[in-house]
């Protein structure tokens, strides 16, 4: 990417969405408008943490989908039932954080290409917001991403995508994501 490249959604946010949200939410200052700060994509490996093929597939998937190398996460505390010791052994998950241009490009691909590929898709849940207005979305399979080849889909796993929104409330964050084109399920469902 060149230095002058500005993603389509970022331009759209700066030119129209921000002003419309300010008016729609009745905010006094333009800086109070909800803004997408970062997108975190993570995947836990669970019981298969010792399976090298599975962990390599998870790591490769996150790298292909996001365009950057994920970091491995070690256990934060010991759990005897799962034979996990704090900070030791194999990673329990992988995580990638997207900001700036990569974040807007990922959101654009997710909304316009990936989610329409989900089988029997009727929209994403409106109930996945936390108190700060952040939104979490889970995908059962990584195969919905067009970057994933047939060889990569031999080992299936899910992904968790979290949208961190600055100045967010449930209402404001919903309107922001709707403006970006997030296909929420209809109100009656």
């Amino acid at each position: 990417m060149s230095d002058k490249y500005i993603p389509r959604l970022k331009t759209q946010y700066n030119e129209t969405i921000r002003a419309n949200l300010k008016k729609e939410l009745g905010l006094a200052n333009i800086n109070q408008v909800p803004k997408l700060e970062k997108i975190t994509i993570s995947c836990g490996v669970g019981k298969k943490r010792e399976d090298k093929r599975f962990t390599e597939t998870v790591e490769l998937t996150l790298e292909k989908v996001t365009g950057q190398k994920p970091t491995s996460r070690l256990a934060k505390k010991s759990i005897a039932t799962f034979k996990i010791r704090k900070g030791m052994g194999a990673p329990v998950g992988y995580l990638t954080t997207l900001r700036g241009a990569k974040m807007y490009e990922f959101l654009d691909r997710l909304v316009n290409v990936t989610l329409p590929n989900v089988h029997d898709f009727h929209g994403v849940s409106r109930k996945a917001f936390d108190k700060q207005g952040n939104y979490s979305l889970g995908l059962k399979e990584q195969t919905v991403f067009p970057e994933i080849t047939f060889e990569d889909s031999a080992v299936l796993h899910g992904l968790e995508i979290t949208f961190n929104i600055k100045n967010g409330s449930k209402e404001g964050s919903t309107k922001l994501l709707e403006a970006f084109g997030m296909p929420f399920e209809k109100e009656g469902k």
Side-chain angles (χ1 to χ4, degrees):
M1 283 191 236
S2 69
D3 295 336
K4 297 182 193 248
Y5 174 75
I6 299 173
R8 182 182 69 88
L9 286 182
K10 184 174 186 177
T11 305
Q12 189 178 350
Y13 175 78
N14 289 332
E15 292 176 359
T16 58
I17 294 173
R18 194 164 65 170
N20 291 344
L21 283 177
K22 180 182 179 246
K23 193 181 300 179
E24 201 173 323
L25 297 171
L27 301 172
N29 189 335
I30 196 76
N31 294 323
Q32 294 175 317
V33 175
K35 180 181 182 181
L36 191 59
E37 199 168 36
K38 65 183 177 180
I39 298 176
T40 308
I41 301 101
S42 61
C43 180
V45 292
K47 296 176 185 174
K48 297 182 179 181
R49 69 183 179 281
E50 299 297 331
D51 183 0
K52 190 142 178 78
R53 180 173 177 238
F54 183 78
T55 57
E56 285 175 353
T57 302
V58 169
E59 191 173 4
L60 183 68
T61 298
L62 282 176
E63 191 170 346
K64 282 185 174 183
V65 167
T66 62
Q68 62 188 42
K69 189 156 177 68
T71 59
S72 59
R73 312 306 277 171
L74 300 176
K76 290 184 179 180
K77 60 183 180 179
S78 300
I79 303 172
T81 312
F82 299 121
K83 300 178 183 169
I84 294 176
R85 298 286 166 251
K86 179 181 176 180
M88 292 179 66
V92 294
Y94 291 90
L95 171 87
T96 303
T97 302
L98 301 174
R99 299 174 196 271
K102 283 189 177 184
M103 170 184 73
Y104 285 106
E105 283 299 317
F106 177 80
L107 178 60
D108 200 2
R109 284 193 333 266
L110 178 74
V111 168
N112 296 311
V113 179
T114 304
L115 290 178
N117 283 336
V118 175
H119 185 64
D120 287 338
F121 183 69
H122 300 291
V124 296
S125 175
R126 292 180 177 271
K127 298 177 184 175
F129 288 95
D130 64 9
K131 293 178 184 174
Q132 290 79 32
N134 301 321
Y135 185 73
S136 294
L137 169 68
L139 297 174
K140 292 181 181 176
E141 292 180 1
Q142 82 276 25
T143 57
V144 293
F145 289 96
E147 299 90 353
I148 304 301
T149 62
F150 179 73
E151 291 80 29
D152 298 333
S153 63
V155 179
L156 296 176
H157 61 84
L159 295 170
E160 181 74 24
I161 303 168
T162 304
F163 300 89
N164 293 81
I165 300 170
K166 184 177 180 182
N167 299 330
S169 63
K170 185 175 180 185
E171 178 194 4
S173 296
T174 304
K175 291 192 182 303
L176 174 67
L177 291 175
E178 282 176 339
F180 281 135
M182 184 67 76
F184 285 105
E185 61 190 3
K186 302 293 182 232
E187 289 287 340
K189 293 187 179 185

